[in-house]
Amino acid sequence: MGATRRVTLLGAFILAATVSAGANVFGDLSVRDELHFPLYARATNNDGSTPTYKNANASIEDRINDLLPRMTVEEKVAQLMQGDIDGWMNMSDPLDDTLTYNATGLEEMLTTKAGAIWAGYLAPWDKIVYAIEVGQRYLMENTTLGIPGIVQSEGLHGFTDNGTTWPSPIGLAASFNAPLLQEAATTIATEAEGLGYSQLFAPVLDLSRELRWGRVEENYGEDPFLTSQMGRAYVEGIQTGRRRNVSDTATARVAATCKHYAAYGSPQGGLNIAPVHGGERDLRTYYLKPFEYACVDGGALSIMSAYASYDGVPLVANKFLLTDVLRNELNWTGYVTTDAGSVDLLITTHGVCPTRECAAKLVVENGLSMEMGGGTYTYLTLPDQISAGLVNISYVDEAVKTVLRTKFSLGLFENPYPYPDYAETLRTQATRDLLHQMEREAIILLENRNDLLPLGSNISSVALIGPQSDRVSLGDYVFYNASNNGISPLTGFQTYLASINSSVTLNFAEGCKLWSYSEDEFSYAVSAAQNSDVAVVMVGTWSLDQTLLWTPGTNATTGEGRDESDLALVGAQMELVQRIQATGTPTVVVFVSGKPVTEPWIQENVDAVIQQFYPGELGGLAIAEVIFGAANPSGRLPVSFPRNVGTAPAFYNYYKGGRPLNNPGMITENLTMVFGSQYVLDTPVPTWSFGHGLSYTTFNYTNLELSSNTIGTTDDFNVTVTVHNAGSRDGAEVVQVYMTDLFSSVVTPAMELIGFEKVNISSGTSQTVTIPVRSKQLAVWTVDRTWAVEPGNFSIWVGTSDTKYLNTTLTVE
């Protein structure tokens, strides 16, 4: 690694501070009357007073305005670039625990790339702490101005260095429990914070409207309102609080990063980074709402731009979105980072720039703040472009302000270091207990014919079959070998049955591989089913961790860069389900997947169907508990299931007229073709729609009331309903409120979710639930390109998925 050095007392690690590049920029280093600080010692004041930017009790804006004039052009540009701990640490071996650093690499990296520090590696915790402390000590104690870095990692469903792994975001959304997600996010931030991290790349607020896209599992589903609520819960859970030993001016402890701004989840053909087509109305009606509510209103400190183009304009350099909307309209003051290497796509993919200079100029002038690594670091061209008069320094200054604002908001100038007791906050029992609750609440019961589930005491044997039965299937963006911390369904069944001293015999047979058409193991699976009272068949999709996903020779059907042309089960899985169902043994199918699976035959023929989007570490135990009734399922679908890829898109909130249902066709069980017109041999109606989910108990609704049936255009209102648990089991119901704008000046969605709440209701009791609705949720983006709540009638109804329990009319005057 070149010159290396071992630090035994990091607090004593001091090098000589120098002005370095600043000398040429500032010229004469004598005291100048127009400045209140000497150029040869820019971190001090002429009168000996403490610089405002070092005053922890000064306002953040005053600190920014004091610090910015002290910075050289090179120092400013360095604040707009992401460094990496691999510049001074050898991070190639996740098991290596050597605590040495490369002094030359440290200085080279942090001289030019000091805005943020990527540290999202799998490594022993003490090595991560050492690397972060070395980097921050260098920046704080060995540079002229002492500006700390923002230390970054991933955080989609857990802290990604052997932290607790939670369900994938689509699974978290299936809980329909925003307060629970906020608690989960709090634990994710706590695990990261203790090690010295100060930014996590999450939440993802893309909408799952293009299901062929490989990254569906990273989203909170197809609906803007659900995504807004879950995203806001994640942001508040991550950011709420302060780092230790910082002043009250700090507003967050870890920065959330809302991504990918915007509309990234609907690429052409479902292909990652492909263009997204649409107009401003689509942006306003669907894609921007989660960013406004979760990030702007929620106070997120960072946003990540997207790789794609929208309506022909690359999103990384989209002035309308980055400046006109985000800054001028929404008045958001955080910083926008690129995704890895995305500025270079202006040259290599989008074809709008021939040079690195052009790319850097284009993004910084259109509202981008920081350039992440992974590319050619086009921002390195900015100092020369500024010197040549090709880029106005004011654009760089505004970008630097957003980065500094984030650092001051995090209290990093006072304490950017890992905590000595970091180990006490990682993988705690309290976190595991919360995870256990989330795992249960994320499971969705889709079908349950003749109340086959939960399995009762009369069951003497169960066959556990399928390639997902003895596998820990986590989503992408988990650390290398994260599955080693997980519990497979087979282990979960064994653990649960042992915990209740059950005499149930468990007959296991894999049956087939996820990625093979071989039926060689079918006979064992059929035999297991024939010798059991019930067969549970676990099939689905699969993803890989962030090391294996990018390793040549590995395979996956979901995850970043793993897009699909078909949403059906891969290989021999469907045939395996049909063989097991043909035995006559009551059959339960469990989909373990990162996106909807299009197999309507399963819905039509098996006895029960469960959806488990990629779970966390305790998913194997949770699925056993749901099947045996130790937990009553309460998950709901955050995304609709099309009948096949040809009937997609299937999202429920299509514009009116988007799903005509005059004469659908079908192919019957005996292969008779019944021709229709929409579609000629199928129907656009989803197999299961957004919001659908069953329980082991029965809920009824009465007494639907509005706080007022007639309101003005600026009035908020409440929806109140009484929910009765008429069954024999305690359970949790997700009360969902939808609305339809009956007549409007432009075409609006056929139906929109405008409120929901999960409530626990004991058997035989009822609960009155009141859900607030803001007037702006009724607004339409008019032909005059403005939001307006238009007078007229709105249908308000309360139900689950497409089943309308109760409805009423709201009149807006």
Side-chain angles (χ1 to χ4, degrees), residues 556-574:
T557 54
T558 71
E560 185 172 6
R562 299 295 185 272
D563 311 313
E564 297 182 284
S565 63
D566 195 353
L567 301 175
L569 291 170
V570 172
Q573 293 184 88
M574 185 58 193

Side-chain angles (χ1 to χ4, degrees), residues 465-474 489 508-522 537-544 554-558 564 568-577 589-594 597 599 612 614:
I465 296 167
Q468 289 285 14
S469 296
D470 192 23
R471 175 188 175 90
V472 176
S473 282
L474 307 175
F508 167 71
E510 185 179 35
C512 69
K513 301 296 183 185
L514 284 167
W515 48 81
S516 172
Y517 283 100
S518 174
E519 300 181 4
D520 292 348
E521 303 297 317
F522 273 23
V537 188
M538 304 192 69
V539 293
T541 63
W542 71 100
S543 190
L544 294 172
T554 59
N555 59 57
T557 54
T558 71
E564 297 182 284
L569 291 170
V570 172
Q573 293 184 88
M574 185 58 193
E575 181 67 20
L576 175 65
V577 172
V589 169
V590 179
F591 292 125
V592 181
S593 65
V597 173
E599 295 290 1
Q612 185 180 39
Y614 294 142

Side-chain angles (χ1 to χ4, degrees), residues 542-711:
W542 71 100
S543 190
L544 294 172
D545 62 57
Q546 282 298 287
T547 297
L548 294 177
L549 191 65
W550 305 106
T551 300
T554 59
N555 59 57
T557 54
T558 71
E560 185 172 6
R562 299 295 185 272
D563 311 313
E564 297 182 284
S565 63
D566 195 353
L567 301 175
L569 291 170
V570 172
Q573 293 184 88
M574 185 58 193
E575 181 67 20
L576 175 65
V577 172
Q578 292 174 325
R579 294 281 188 91
I580 300 306
Q581 191 268 349
T583 66
T585 300
T587 301
V588 179
V589 169
V590 179
F591 292 125
V592 181
S593 65
K595 62 173 64 174
V597 173
T598 56
E599 295 290 1
W601 185 94
I602 290 177
Q603 183 272 334
E604 295 162 358
N605 290 277
V606 305
D607 298 279
V609 184
I610 292 174
Q611 175 65 48
Q612 185 180 39
F613 291 111
Y614 294 142
E617 297 177 17
L618 298 180
L621 177 60
I623 193 64
E625 292 171 330
V626 166
I627 287 175
F628 284 100
N632 192 346
S634 62
R636 300 292 183 265
L637 285 180
V639 61
S640 302
F641 278 52
R643 291 179 58 81
N644 61 57
V645 72
T647 62
F651 46 81
Y652 83 99
N653 51 355
Y654 53 87
Y655 287 126
K656 293 171 185 174
R659 189 176 291 164
L661 293 174
N662 296 328
N663 185 27
M666 70 176 70
I667 300 175
T668 66
E669 184 71 19
N670 64 3
L671 300 184
T672 298
M673 290 183 284
V674 179
F675 287 91
S677 58
Q678 297 163 335
Y679 295 96
V680 294
L681 290 173
D682 213 332
T683 172
V685 177
T687 304
W688 296 287
S689 187
F690 173 87
H692 175 69
L694 305 177
S695 172
Y696 293 152
T697 191
T698 302
F699 295 102
N700 297 320
Y701 289 62
T702 62
N703 303 327
L704 172 61
E705 294 180 351
L706 304 181
S707 54
S708 176
N709 287 88
T710 302
I711 64 173

Side-chain angles (χ1 to χ4, degrees), residues 125-126 129 190-191 194-195 244 419-428:
W125 290 334
D126 64 334
V129 165
T190 297
E191 291 191 333
L195 291 168
R244 298 178 189 174
Y419 301 154
D421 59 348
Y422 64 83
E424 296 179 13
T425 64
L426 286 149
R427 304 189 62 82
T428 66

